[in-house]
């Protein structure tokens, strides 16, 4: 049975990943778009979610809008009995996550909070290799150039836009997948440009499950080489996940990782959840970000201009 789905927010990630992933999956049919400015050729377009829910076809809803507006849309879709898939980061606050989970349960609807980086080719193999080993420490280095990767995305620098934690939470989603359990923030430093509401850099010190230290170094004013790397020291050697989880090496030896794209895997998982009438919501990456904001020291840096 094909699942009809509507894409809400026709921006960069919808165009780059969601539209092709849906088109390639015989389990889904794109039956509507909801966007103030965008559309997909040949697909009925609605200017806002209320109009779609009132007049559009019965369909699941995949939300590709920024976190500042996502929860209200998710709650409206769930109240209308629609199954809902969420882009990362799940929501702007932990309370919003809870509200969505409660609403999905009340509606008997599926709620899937995606973390696309967890679907990167090396992540499952890394988790399997680490399982049962003694972990000594872990280090996350996530440094990219915001002007290159997020041009024109003003929302990302506003409250609820997450700033450097928008890419950084991808690293935390991998960390919490390969080393599952309670990660607690011990200290954090957040660097805010004097003219912006979200940080451009952050250093976070965590204790992983069982107490091993984890350092997280995030920067999105990185010039030159870009880094999306996680290294884990264990009693059996050093594991390095690099290129955002695409490559895996143990003690410097590359393991051949299955080369499968992230978004087709996310849609397959959404189909499984819809058919099983289940939800999948893990707020652990968002909790680390929230805790870093709760106890972090704030440093003011030079103003940031696009
Ligand atoms: P984007 O290019 O700025 O697109 C955002 C979309 O949401 C647009 O279609 C926009 O306008 C719609 N929207 C609705 N209300 C909005 C509001 N108040 N402010 C801004 N936009 C609003 O952003 P994106 O890169 O696609 O990111 C969307 C989500 O996907 C974010 O949570 C991001 O973290 C996540 N994501 C992005 C990437 C990436 O590489 N860019 C990768 C993975 C995940 P319309 O109403 O006109 O459609």
């Amino acid at each position: 049975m094909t699942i009809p789905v509507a894409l809400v927010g026709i921006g960069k990630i919808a165009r780059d990943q969601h539209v092709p992933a849906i088109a390639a999956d015989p389990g889904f049919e794109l039956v509507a778009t909801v966007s103030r400015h965008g559309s997909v050729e040949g697909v009925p377009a609605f200017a806002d979610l209320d109009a779609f829910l009132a007049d559009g076809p019965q369909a699941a809803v995949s939300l590709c809008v920024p976190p500042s507006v996502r929860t209200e849309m998710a709650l409206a879709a769930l109240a209308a009995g629609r199954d809902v898939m969420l882009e990362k980061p799940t929501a702007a606050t932990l309370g919003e996550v809870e509200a969505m989970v409660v609403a999905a349960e009340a509606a008997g609807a599926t709620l899937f909070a995606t973390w696309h980086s967890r679907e990167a080719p090396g992540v499952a193999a890394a988790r399997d290799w680490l399982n049962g080993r003694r972990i000594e420490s872990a280090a996350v280095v996530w440094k990219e150039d915001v002007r290159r990767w997020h041009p024109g995305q003003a929302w990302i620098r506003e409250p609820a836009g997450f700033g450097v934690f928008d890419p950084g939470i991808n690293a935390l989603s991998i960390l919490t997948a390969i080393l599952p359990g309670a990660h607690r923030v011990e200290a954090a430093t957040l660097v805010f440009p004097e003219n912006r509401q979200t940080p451009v850099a952050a250093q976070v010190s965590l204790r992983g499950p069982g107490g091993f230290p984890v350092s997280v170094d995030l920067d999105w004013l990185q010039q030159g080489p870009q880094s999306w790397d996680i290294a884990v020291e264990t009693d059996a050697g050093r594991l390095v996940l690099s290129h955002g989880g695409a490559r895996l090496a143990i003690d410097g030896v590359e393991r051949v990782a299955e080369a499968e794209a992230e978004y087709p895997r996310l849609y397959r998982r959404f189909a499984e959840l819809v058919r099983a009438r289940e939800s999948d919501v893990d707020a652990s990456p968002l909790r680390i970000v929230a805790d870093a904001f709760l106890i972090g020291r704030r440093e003011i840096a030079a103003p940031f201009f696009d």
Side-chain angles (χ1 to χ4, degrees):
M1 188 193 70
T2 302
I3 299 170
V5 63
L7 269 183
V8 181
I10 305 299
K12 180 167 170 41
I13 199 61
R15 290 186 191 285
D16 288 359
Q17 299 292 343
H18 289 257
V19 171
I22 292 169
D25 189 335
F28 285 94
E29 183 186 0
L30 182 59
V31 296
T33 59
V34 179
S35 169
R36 298 163 304 177
H37 311 100
S39 61
V40 173
E41 200 183 333
V43 178
F46 293 80
D48 65 66
L49 187 66
D50 288 346
F52 165 73
L53 293 175
D55 303 326
Q58 273 297 325
V61 169
S62 181
L63 292 172
C64 303
V65 293
S68 57
V69 294
R70 196 180 300 137
T71 298
E72 284 304 322
M73 290 182 171
L75 292 174
L78 291 167
R82 309 304 175 93
D83 298 316
V84 172
M85 175 161 150
L86 305 169
E87 252 300 348
K88 52 63 57 170
T90 311
T93 70
L94 290 167
E96 289 183 350
V97 179
E98 203 178 330
M100 287 189 282
V101 168
V102 169
E105 283 171 4
T110 289
L111 179 64
F112 179 28
T114 66
W115 296 107
H116 68 88
S117 292
R118 287 182 172 175
E119 306 302 328
V123 173
R127 184 192 57 223
D128 292 348
W129 190 83
L130 290 168
N131 186 21
R133 300 197 194 275
R134 188 166 56 79
I135 312 299
E136 289 163 1
S137 65
V140 174
V141 179
W142 225 252
K143 297 187 174 191
E144 65 178 51
D145 181 357
V146 61
R147 294 183 177 91
R148 180 164 154 198
W149 300 104
H150 300 280
Q153 295 185 337
W155 60 264
I156 218 165
R157 289 177 272 284
E158 294 299 320
F162 284 68
V164 74
F165 285 102
D166 177 80
I169 203 167
N170 296 334
L172 300 175
S173 75
I174 295 175
L175 181 76
T176 50
I178 62 175
L179 296 169
H183 291 259
R184 75 195 143 88
V185 176
E186 282 194 323
T189 302
L190 312 178
V191 182
F192 289 77
E194 65 180 38
N195 62 339
R196 298 292 174 185
Q197 297 290 326
T198 56
V200 287
Q203 289 83 43
V204 186
S205 300
L206 303 166
R207 290 281 167 187
F212 59 84
V214 182
S215 64
V216 178
D217 188 1
L218 309 178
D219 188 354
W220 71 354
L221 299 181
Q222 172 77 0
Q223 304 292 305
Q226 311 281 289
S227 307
W228 297 283
D229 303 330
I230 300 177
V232 184
E233 307 291 345
T234 79
D235 57 344
R238 178 172 215 253
L239 177 145
V240 177
L241 262 175
S242 60
H243 297 76
R247 294 201 197 153
L248 172 64
I250 313 285
D251 284 335
V253 179
E254 286 270 347
R255 301 284 170 115
V256 180
E258 185 194 351
E260 198 185 10
E262 297 170 1
Y263 281 79
R265 290 166 59 97
L266 290 178
Y267 275 94
R268 275 213 304 283
R269 175 79 179 130
F270 187 41
E272 282 171 15
L273 291 167
V274 167
R275 294 197 175 105
R277 310 306 308 143
E278 288 173 0
S279 290
D280 179 351
V281 180
D282 174 16
S284 56
L286 183 62
R287 183 173 301 112
I288 294 173
V289 175
D291 287 353
F293 273 90
L294 273 173
I295 68 165
R297 288 178 53 251
R298 184 182 174 114
E299 283 182 5
I300 304 299
F304 174 89
F305 300 103
D306 288 297

